Amino acid sequence: MRIRLVTSNPHKLAEVSQILAPYGIEVERLSAEKVEIQHDDVAEIARRAAENLCAQYGDYVVVEDTGLYIEALGGFPGPYAEYVYRTIGLSGVLKLLEGAANRRAVFKCAAALCLGGRVEVFLGEVRGAIAQAPRGTGGFGYDPIFVPEGLGYTYAELGDDVKNKISHRAQAFSKLAARLTAAASKRA
Ligand code: IMP
């Protein structure tokens, strides 16, 4: 089995490939124009982008969208995580949280799959906290400052092997894998 992931982010492509490998699902990058609506909810953003692409590219196309919601900032940057990372960066986010006692945050990932001409969305969510300073060298984006609940280490410190078992993306894509496996066994 093979999915076609619409992304320009090599880290996401590598992570999704590692997450899906145990299910025997290969991941190919699809270079396609992704329409991104403005919405607080990553599921809605991924769904709408996939709906646009399903008709054109067919089944097994997947659109993924991720957001980081920081409680003390009213959910900011949420789905605008990419823009915020590129503009104020990790140091800017940490500055916004200076003196904040509440550092709770949640990473949300939505994977929207085209299957049978329709779109199905799979969600993954990891609660955690924003560290006081960046730690670790693994991963990408906000990984050096995100500490999953109960672990005490940032995603970047935990490294790819651990992150890809527990992350928001791992949860969403494991559900997608289960759905694809079920669909394939029905056809067999
Ligand atoms: P996107 O809009 O889904 O492409 O992701 C938004 C931004 O969130 C990315 O550019 C990264 O900076 C960040 N991001 C997405 N997923 C992760 C992750 O798993 N760890 C850390 N940062 C992430």
Side-chain angles (χ1 to χ4, degrees):
M1 261 187 298
R2 174 177 299 170
I3 63 161
R4 291 183 292 164
L5 184 67
V6 182
T7 184
S8 55
N9 184 330
H11 300 283
K12 284 190 180 184
L13 186 67
E15 286 193 4
V16 174
S17 301
Q18 186 174 352
I19 293 162
L20 294 182
Y23 300 93
I25 301 172
E26 289 175 16
V27 184
E28 182 183 288
R29 188 173 90 83
L30 175 63
S31 169
E33 195 66 38
K34 199 167 96 176
V35 176
E36 277 202 21
I37 60 157
Q38 289 209 352
H39 205 287
D40 289 351
D41 183 1
V42 287
E44 211 42 46
I45 296 170
R47 174 185 293 283
R48 296 281 280 278
E51 277 168 358
N52 269 297
L53 292 169
C54 285
Q56 205 178 339
Y57 293 98
D59 279 358
Y60 307 112
V61 166
V62 176
V63 176
E64 188 260 29
D65 202 74
T66 295
L68 175 65
Y69 299 76
I70 301 176
E71 209 172 275
L73 303 179
F76 178 87
Y80 308 107
E82 163 71 20
Y83 179 72
V84 169
Y85 184 78
R86 273 192 291 113
T87 50
I88 62 172
L90 298 186
S91 59
V93 172
L94 291 174
K95 210 167 214 154
L96 291 175
L97 283 176
E98 250 168 31
N102 174 8
R103 304 186 73 87
R104 280 195 294 272
V106 54
F107 249 125
K108 294 184 187 180
C109 175
L113 166 73
C114 305
L115 194 64
R118 299 181 49 223
V119 175
E120 297 184 28
V121 183
F122 304 89
L123 301 174
E125 197 174 295
V126 171
R127 296 188 172 280
I130 302 298
Q132 297 289 344
R135 300 195 319 249
T137 54
F140 69 103
Y142 296 86
D143 283 351
I145 62 166
F146 185 78
V147 181
E149 209 164 66
L151 291 183
Y153 295 96
T154 64
Y155 268 160
E157 289 176 303
L158 291 168
D160 291 347
D161 286 349
V162 176
K163 181 187 174 192
N164 289 334
K165 286 201 175 78
I166 62 161
S167 77
H168 47 293
R169 186 162 295 110
Q171 292 182 23
F173 278 88
S174 299
K175 292 176 191 170
L176 181 145
R179 175 69 178 100
L180 280 179
T181 307
S185 66
K186 221 174 188 180
R187 276 199 314 272

